[in-house]
């Protein structure tokens, strides 16, 4: 019986591959999306394909969404799949995790129906409830194998009193609820918001911008229009053009929200609805909007060669996310600084925040920037209790690298060039002229073109290895230096992170080479007592203790009580602050002015 099933399965795959090759390129594809049970988080999809001329058709669901480098297995949310021709059922067999094989011999058209459960609140996944429907399209729409270049039309039937659609997809005629995509790369890169969102717009240099706000909030529309315009103008100046005719900000405002995901002509932002009312909260939103909007150039068009055309069925590996995401993280604040919406002091706080984050991560001595990028698929989006000890963020390390390279180029060119010139050159050379992504070596050559020298040593130390960054060297170009405010402290540390769970202090992480690491305190241990004194306040457990003291830590582990002798070590945390050099020379002051756009 097992042998028969395996043979049948192999036959189906072989039959599928042979028949798909003859698919009609003139097939017409349409979708109808309804929400009969929006309150239960469902969308019903009806897909129609006409112009078929093949024995079989394979329908597939992407396994990931571009910009979020994790296999998410969207097909897990599909149910109720059926296929028919003029009302008569067709043979439909699921042949792997994301593929349905449909017998279409002798039929010219096909109707497929299925349901999608959508209730994962994030900027990269679909969520549907009675208040709105957010369709992250790569997790909603099946595509016919071999037809990624085919256009499609999407008709949306709104739930109850929903009255708006926000998407970068082109509207068909005068019906806002019917849109079209020229191919699946565009469809999967164009999320759709349906509901009663607050929509307002503005124009920047001939490009029409739409902002749609779901969830309410204390935002000021006119202030947002003004400030987003300034940011967009500064970003456009870097590349010399804005390739869009229209761009959409989809903003989800929750009690506590965050994150963003870039798309070709739109972005999805997560925000806290009441954070717009504080200056730092508002600045945080501007930084997020700046980051995702900058992506319309960096990664959506100027991209690592592995990131397009996309393979939607498996990982798309690149070692260059420190450029795609890291440089974008660098520019998000640098651009806002140029608008004067950030003060110099606030901007320098953001810069030094990246330094602090990197150097306080034990993984910075283990994982390089290029490794962090390549392993994003298995590490960055799947953190565990030991991740801080073994990994870094390519966002964070890439932002640091962007800072260093911008200062290096400005200094070595006597202010003639900056990282801006590299980005514009690479965008023009590879996206516009060569119409493809860049390789590792090609981006390095682009940097060297404007640095005026080889960057082999820089790449070796800071990109492909884990050398300690010489911050003072690079900051010194601009007449700054780094001060570690904790350099002379002698604070003892256990090296643990903990959570208070029902009054119990539970270890959630143990830092590499810390006292807890060396002497065997484990994640999930309950810290019950120190030297026999019960622990109730995790912030006070080392009061009165000194570096080098030997203490007895009582832990409850898996229902057993253990007493662990621990020798307290000195805290290795850093707290950097950027300070101006008192006697900075004329060149340093000029580099500073160029860097900070003063």
């Amino acid at each position: 019986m097992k042998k028969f099933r395996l043979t049948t399965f192999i036959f189906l795959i072989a039959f599928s591959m042979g028949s798909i090759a003859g698919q009609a390129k003139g097939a017409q594809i349409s979708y109808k999306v309804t929400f009969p049970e929006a309150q239960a988080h469902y969308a019903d999809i009806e897909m129609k394909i006409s112009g078929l001329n093949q024995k079989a058709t394979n329908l597939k669901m992407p396994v990931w969404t571009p910009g979020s480098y994790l296999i998410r297995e969207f097909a897990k949310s599909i149910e109720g799949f059926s296929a028919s021709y003029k009302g008569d059922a067709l043979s439909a067999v699921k042949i792997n995790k994301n593929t349905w094989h449909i017998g279409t011999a002798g039929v010219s058209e096909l109707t497929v129906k299925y349901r999608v459960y959508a209730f994962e609140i994030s900027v990269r996944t679909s969520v549907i409830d009675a208040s709105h429907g957010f369709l992250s399209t790569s997790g909603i729409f099946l595509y016919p194998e071999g037809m990624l270049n085919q256009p499609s039309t999407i008709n949306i039937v709104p739930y109850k009193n929903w009255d708006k659609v926000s998407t970068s997809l082109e509207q068909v005629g005068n019906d806002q609820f019917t849109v079209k995509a020229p191919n699946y790369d565009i469809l999967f890169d164009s999320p759709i918001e349906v509901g009663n969102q607050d929509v307002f717009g503005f124009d920047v240099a001939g490009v029409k911008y739409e902002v749609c706000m779901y969830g309410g909030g204390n935002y000021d529309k006119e202030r947002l229009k003004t400030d987003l315009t300034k940011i967009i103008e500064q970003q456009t100046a870097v590349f010399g053009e804005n390739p869009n005719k229209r761009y959409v900000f989809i903003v989800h405002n929750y009690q506590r929200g965050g994150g963003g995901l870039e798309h070709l002509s739109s972005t999805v932002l997560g925000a806290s609805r009441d954070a717009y009312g504080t200056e730092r909260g508002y600045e945080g939103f501007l930084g997020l909007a700046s980051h995702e909007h900058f992506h319309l150039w960096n990664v959506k068009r100027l991209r690592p060669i592995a990131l397009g055309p996309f393979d939607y069925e498996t990982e798309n590996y690149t070692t260059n996310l420190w450029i795609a995401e890291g440089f974008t993280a660098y520019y998000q604040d640098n651009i806002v600084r140029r608008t004067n919406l950030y003060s110099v002091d606030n901007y320098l706080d953001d810069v030094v925040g990246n330094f602090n984050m990197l150097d306080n991560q034990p993984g910075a001595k283990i994982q390089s920037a290029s490794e962090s990028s390549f392993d994003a698929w298995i590490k960055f989006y799947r953190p565990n209790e030991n991740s801080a000890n073994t990994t870094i963020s390519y966002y964070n390390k890439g932002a640091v690298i962007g800072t260093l390279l911008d200062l290096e180029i400005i200094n070595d060119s006597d202010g003639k060039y900056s990282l801006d010139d590299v980005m514009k050159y690479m965008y023009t050379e590879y996206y516009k002229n060569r119409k493809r992504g860049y390789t590792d070596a090609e981006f390095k050559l682009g940097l060297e073109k404007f640095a005026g020298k080889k960057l082999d040593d820089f790449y070796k130390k800071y990109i492909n290895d884990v050398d300690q960054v010489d911050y003072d060297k690079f900051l010194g170009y601009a007449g700054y230096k780094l001060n570690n405010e904790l350099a002379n402290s002698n604070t003892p540390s256990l090296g643990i992170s903990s959570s208070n769970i029902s009054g119990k202090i539970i270890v959630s992480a143990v830092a590499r080479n810390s006292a807890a690491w060396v002497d065997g305190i484990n994640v999930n241990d309950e810290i019950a007592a120190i030297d026999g004194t019960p622990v109730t306040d995790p912030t006070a457990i080392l009061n009165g203790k000194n570096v080098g003291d030997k203490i007895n830590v009582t832990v409850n582990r898996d229902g057993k009580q253990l007493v662990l002798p621990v020798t307290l070590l000195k805290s290795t945390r850093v707290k950097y602050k950027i300070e101006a050099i008192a006697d900075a020379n004329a060149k340093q002051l000029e580099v500073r002015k160029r860097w900070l756009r003063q």
Side-chain angles (χ1 to χ4, degrees):
M1 187 66 174
K2 290 182 179 178
K3 184 176 180 180
F4 171 78
R5 286 183 174 177
L6 178 60
T7 304
T8 303
F9 182 71
I10 293 172
F11 171 77
L12 276 172
I13 293 177
F15 179 79
S16 164
M17 296 306 293
S19 60
I20 296 305
Q23 285 184 347
K25 292 185 178 180
Q28 297 175 336
I29 305 167
S30 65
Y31 300 89
K32 183 178 181 180
V33 184
T34 58
F35 305 90
E37 293 185 294
Q39 82 290 346
H41 320 301
Y42 277 94
D44 284 26
I45 315 297
E46 180 180 275
M47 178 184 188
K48 291 188 176 182
I49 310 174
S50 61
L52 291 174
N53 181 25
Q54 61 220 35
K55 293 180 179 179
T57 300
N58 280 353
L59 296 183
K60 290 180 169 290
M61 175 67 83
V63 302
W64 70 291
T65 189
S68 182
Y69 306 102
L70 176 69
I71 299 299
R72 296 185 181 275
E73 311 292 20
F74 293 121
K76 69 182 183 292
S77 298
I78 289 181
E79 60 186 73
F81 185 95
S82 67
S84 64
Y85 169 65
K86 294 185 176 180
D88 294 328
L90 294 174
S91 169
V93 179
K94 191 173 185 182
I95 60 173
N96 62 33
K97 64 181 181 180
N98 68 317
T99 308
W100 286 259
H101 180 85
I102 305 168
T104 51
V107 306
S108 60
E109 61 186 56
L110 169 67
T111 298
V112 170
K113 295 181 180 181
Y114 59 96
R115 311 191 80 201
V116 179
Y117 179 77
F119 195 51
E120 184 178 349
I121 297 175
S122 80
V123 295
R124 64 192 70 85
T125 50
S126 299
V127 59
I128 298 167
D129 60 26
S131 66
H132 79 134
F134 171 65
L135 308 181
S136 182
T137 46
S138 57
I140 294 291
F141 297 111
L142 295 169
Y143 68 93
E145 185 176 14
M147 298 190 193
L148 283 172
N149 290 325
Q150 289 297 110
S152 60
T153 302
I154 302 95
N155 174 245
I156 297 168
V157 179
Y159 178 72
K160 291 188 177 179
N161 62 343
W162 294 354
D163 61 8
K164 296 185 185 73
V165 171
S166 296
T167 180
S168 58
L169 292 171
E170 185 179 347
Q171 181 175 305
V172 176
N174 295 320
D175 181 7
Q176 67 162 323
F177 292 104
T178 302
V179 295
K180 62 183 179 180
N183 55 56
Y184 279 93
D185 285 330
I186 299 295
L187 177 58
F188 293 150
D189 211 11
S190 304
I192 302 170
E193 176 73 21
V194 194
N196 304 104
Q197 60 270 23
D198 182 19
V199 177
F200 58 94
F202 55 96
D203 292 353
V204 183
V207 180
K208 292 191 175 297
Y209 279 82
E210 177 182 309
V211 180
C212 88
M213 291 284 197
Y214 163 77
N218 60 351
Y219 52 88
D220 181 328
K221 294 183 190 180
E222 295 307 314
R223 187 182 183 189
L224 279 173
K225 289 180 188 179
T226 299
D227 293 345
L228 288 174
T229 295
K230 293 176 182 177
I231 290 168
I232 293 164
E233 288 173 341
Q234 289 292 337
Q235 291 185 353
T236 303
V238 173
F239 295 94
E241 67 172 22
N242 188 325
N244 286 301
K245 293 181 179 179
R246 183 168 166 270
Y247 188 93
V248 180
F249 289 96
I250 297 174
V251 186
H252 292 158
N253 293 300
Y254 292 102
Q255 183 177 7
R256 284 191 298 272
L261 188 64
E262 70 276 4
H263 296 281
L264 192 68
S265 302
S266 63
T267 185
V268 185
L269 308 178
S272 298
R273 65 171 62 96
D274 295 324
Y276 301 94
T278 67
E279 283 308 301
R280 284 308 274 177
Y282 183 67
E283 287 179 354
F285 177 79
L286 292 181
L288 175 62
S290 175
H291 180 105
E292 301 305 337
H293 186 268
F294 194 82
H295 271 312
L296 78 84
W297 295 278
N298 190 31
V299 90
K300 298 314 301 183
R301 291 171 174 86
L302 170 61
R303 58 176 174 79
I305 200 163
L307 297 184
F310 293 115
D311 182 341
Y312 294 103
E313 292 199 80
T314 189
E315 296 87 349
N316 293 221
Y317 292 103
T318 174
T319 57
N320 292 139
L321 292 180
W322 60 270
I323 301 168
E325 287 292 355
F327 278 19
T328 303
Y330 169 65
Y331 270 104
Q332 72 179 48
D333 297 319
N334 189 270
I335 288 290
V336 182
R337 164 63 213 135
R338 300 180 196 193
T339 66
N340 289 313
L341 294 169
Y342 284 0
S343 68
V344 169
D345 286 345
N346 280 358
Y347 174 64
L348 293 179
D349 284 345
D350 288 331
V351 171
V352 84
N354 277 315
F355 298 170
N356 284 323
M357 184 183 299
L358 181 66
D359 282 11
N360 283 320
Q361 184 103 341
K365 296 179 175 63
I366 304 297
Q367 187 182 57
S368 70
S370 56
E371 289 171 333
S372 175
S373 171
F374 193 83
D375 279 344
W377 297 91
I378 58 172
K379 293 187 177 182
F380 185 75
Y381 286 96
R382 291 173 174 165
N384 61 27
E385 69 280 355
N386 198 44
S387 291
N389 291 321
T390 62
T391 67
I392 57 168
S393 163
Y394 46 80
Y395 288 83
N396 171 231
K397 184 68 177 284
V400 171
I401 292 169
T403 303
L404 307 183
L405 285 171
D406 202 7
L407 287 165
E408 182 83 27
I409 293 168
I410 294 170
N411 179 74
D412 289 357
S413 67
D414 293 324
K416 183 179 180 181
Y417 301 121
S418 71
L419 190 58
D420 288 13
D421 296 283
V422 178
M423 302 304 285
K424 183 177 182 180
Y425 167 77
M426 294 297 292
Y427 171 80
T428 301
E429 182 67 17
Y430 290 93
Y431 168 67
K432 295 184 69 178
N433 295 342
R434 303 194 192 190
K435 303 186 186 309
R436 65 166 175 84
Y438 56 81
T439 66
D440 297 46
E442 287 167 343
F443 201 94
K444 181 172 178 285
L445 287 173
L447 288 166
E448 291 172 341
K449 177 181 176 68
F450 294 95
K453 63 183 181 183
K454 292 287 186 181
L455 292 172
D456 294 5
D457 187 58
F458 185 97
Y459 263 69
K460 181 181 182 301
K461 287 181 176 179
Y462 302 136
I463 294 168
N464 297 321
D465 216 329
V466 293
D467 288 29
Q468 173 63 42
V469 176
D470 186 354
Y471 296 109
D472 280 342
K473 171 188 172 182
F474 296 93
L475 290 173
Y477 295 149
Y480 287 114
K481 63 180 180 180
L482 205 60
N483 176 36
N484 179 11
E485 296 180 340
L486 301 179
N488 297 319
S489 68
N490 199 34
T491 304
S493 173
L494 267 180
I496 64 170
S497 299
S498 63
S499 302
N500 190 323
I501 301 176
S502 300
K504 297 179 179 180
I505 310 305
I506 308 298
V507 177
S508 56
V510 177
R512 182 183 293 273
N513 296 327
S514 66
W517 173 285
V518 171
D519 290 323
I521 295 176
N522 290 353
V523 167
N524 296 328
D525 283 351
E526 176 196 350
I527 306 296
I530 301 289
D531 289 337
T533 302
V535 172
T536 56
D537 182 358
T539 65
I541 60 177
L542 296 184
N543 283 356
K545 307 296 183 183
N546 298 303
V547 173
D549 285 354
K550 298 182 185 301
I551 61 175
N552 290 315
V553 181
T554 302
V555 302
N556 292 322
R557 179 184 299 172
D558 190 32
K560 297 180 179 180
Q561 189 171 88
L562 306 173
V563 178
L564 301 175
V566 176
T567 301
L568 294 177
L569 301 179
K570 179 182 175 180
S571 171
T572 59
R573 289 194 63 78
V574 299
K575 185 180 179 182
Y576 296 137
K577 186 175 180 61
I578 295 175
E579 297 179 350
I581 297 172
D583 55 351
N585 60 39
K587 181 176 181 180
Q588 289 173 314
L589 293 175
E590 187 59 33
V591 171
R592 181 189 300 178
K593 182 178 179 181
R594 182 86 161 85
W595 178 45
L596 299 176
R597 272 62 177 187
Q598 291 177 304

